[in-house]
Amino acid sequence: MTSLDWARHHLDKRAIGAAIDILVSARSIEFFGFGASAVGARDAQQKFPLFGVPCGAELDSHQQIMAASMMRPGDVAVVISNTGRTRSMLDVARMAREAGAKVIGITGSSAPLVKSCDVALIVETLDNTNIYTPTISRIAALVVIDVLSTAVALRRKDDHVERFQRMKRNLNELRFRIEE
């Protein structure tokens, strides 16, 4: 069994469902990651605005503290940390919750981050990040973000689908057409 298969089989489906419920009702979403986990935060920040929800991805520790401190009820903080032990990510999760936001954690183990989350998505990959570049854990986090974004998209109403199709048409206008 590969590391990604391990992660897939051990993902808590109820936690995924709870995270989707929170994201569907979000007023705004901020994604937080540091180091390799910042890749997941940036990827999520690109996908979720497509569902009509204002999003941000803060990668700088000062900006992260500012954004987490300014959150309020109705906002959602998605904190991505493979180790679940990065001090700045623990601070961000705590501050966002204190401000009234819901906190979703995406982490590789049942680590301290879990205690500060409303929902924790534990994506254990058996990746030894002390020795190797955390490639598998990063891919696993990206897959979870894809699952969440797809599920949120499927819950959107018809008016959102129409807006999404209009956006796609507008993007197509930016591309060169190849004349036949």
Side-chain angles (χ1 to χ4, degrees):
M1 179 178 289
T2 69
S3 191
L4 285 174
D5 282 335
W6 170 266
R8 180 173 58 97
H9 288 295
H10 289 85
L11 204 61
D12 183 340
K13 290 168 185 53
R14 280 184 292 209
I16 289 280
I20 292 164
D21 290 340
I22 290 171
L23 291 165
V24 164
S25 63
R27 187 179 66 83
S28 71
I29 307 169
E30 287 288 336
F31 297 94
F32 299 94
F34 207 69
S37 297
V39 173
R42 190 59 89 192
D43 182 64
Q45 188 269 333
Q46 178 189 10
K47 289 180 171 94
F48 276 83
L50 299 176
F51 312 126
V53 179
C55 296
E58 302 303 336
L59 312 179
D60 172 83
S61 60
H62 291 124
Q63 293 295 320
Q64 289 173 340
I65 296 301
M66 290 166 53
S69 298
M70 296 301 292
M71 296 185 93
R72 53 189 180 184
D75 295 338
V76 177
V78 178
V79 181
I80 305 166
S81 173
N82 182 56
T83 65
R85 300 178 188 288
T86 303
R87 185 176 297 130
S88 62
M89 293 297 93
L90 297 174
D91 290 342
V92 161
R94 179 184 49 78
M95 288 175 197
R97 269 191 100 182
E98 288 173 356
K102 295 284 187 185
V103 177
I104 298 171
I106 300 175
T107 184
S109 66
S110 185
L113 175 62
V114 170
K115 294 176 185 155
S116 295
C117 296
D118 294 286
V119 175
L121 303 175
I122 299 173
V123 191
E124 187 178 15
T125 61
L126 311 176
D127 215 7
N128 183 346
T129 59
N130 292 324
I131 298 173
Y132 304 108
T133 302
T135 302
I136 299 300
S137 61
R138 187 171 45 242
I139 292 169
L142 291 170
V143 168
V144 169
I145 289 162
D146 281 347
V147 167
L148 295 173
S149 65
T150 300
V152 169
L154 291 172
R155 290 220 192 149
R156 292 294 184 222
K157 305 238 184 306
D158 290 340
D159 67 324
H160 171 74
V161 173
E162 292 170 17
R163 287 193 334 259
F164 185 80
Q165 289 171 340
R166 182 176 58 243
M167 179 270 302
K168 286 295 203 177
R169 283 192 304 273
N170 289 336
L171 281 177
N172 282 334
E173 292 298 320
L174 296 175
R175 296 183 178 107
F176 287 105
R177 293 204 176 111
I178 298 173
E179 301 298 325
E180 294 182 30

